């Protein structure tokens, strides 16, 4: 286990994964430590609506959605989400987990 991951587990007061098969974790506390860890290590993690109001991030998001053939207008209808960017010179010693909704019955991307 990397020292960064060990420190993260200790600060978040999580059970040692080598000793525990299951545990109860407060989701909000875990998210707070996780997000703070990512930000502290140079990874950009901001609310999607905030990113879309920032000229630089909005341009990047529009370029990515265009390259992938997604309808960028759907981004502005999103009620929740994050913009995560790992700058080229940054490497994280812990995985970055994210959940993505690709499509719903009502809307296709």
């Amino acid at each position: 286990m990397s020292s960064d991951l060990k420190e993260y587990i200790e600060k978040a007061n999580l059970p040692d994964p080598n000793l525990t098969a299951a545990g109860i974790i407060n989701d909000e506390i875990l998210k707070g430590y996780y997000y703070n860890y990512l930000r502290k290590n140079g990874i950009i993690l901001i609310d999607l609506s905030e990113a879309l109001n920032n000229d630089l991030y909005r341009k990047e998001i529009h370029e990515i959605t265009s390259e992938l053939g997604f309808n960028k207008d759907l981004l502005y209808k999103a009620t929740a989400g994050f913009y995560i960017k790992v700058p080229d010179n940054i490497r994280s010693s812990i995985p970055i987990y994210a959940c993505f909704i690709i499509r719903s019955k009502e809307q296709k991307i």
Side-chain angles (χ1 to χ4, degrees), residues 26-56:
N26 181 313
D27 184 50
E28 290 302 313
I29 292 173
L30 177 61
K31 282 194 310 190
Y33 278 106
Y34 184 67
Y35 296 164
N36 287 336
Y37 174 85
L38 294 176
R39 288 181 182 123
K40 182 179 96 178
N41 287 283
I43 296 167
I44 298 163
L45 177 81
I46 59 175
D47 186 85
L48 179 60
S49 61
E50 187 179 332
L52 291 170
N53 285 317
N54 176 298
D55 290 339
L56 174 64

Side-chain angles (χ1 to χ4, degrees), residues 48-49 51-77 83:
L48 179 60
S49 61
L52 291 170
N53 285 317
N54 176 298
D55 290 339
L56 174 64
Y57 298 146
R58 181 177 53 249
K59 181 180 176 188
E60 290 176 352
I61 293 168
H62 286 182
E63 286 175 3
I64 292 167
T65 56
S66 176
E67 287 174 17
L68 296 174
F70 294 153
N71 181 346
K72 71 179 181 189
D73 296 332
L74 292 177
L75 292 169
Y76 295 93
K77 295 179 182 179
Y83 174 68

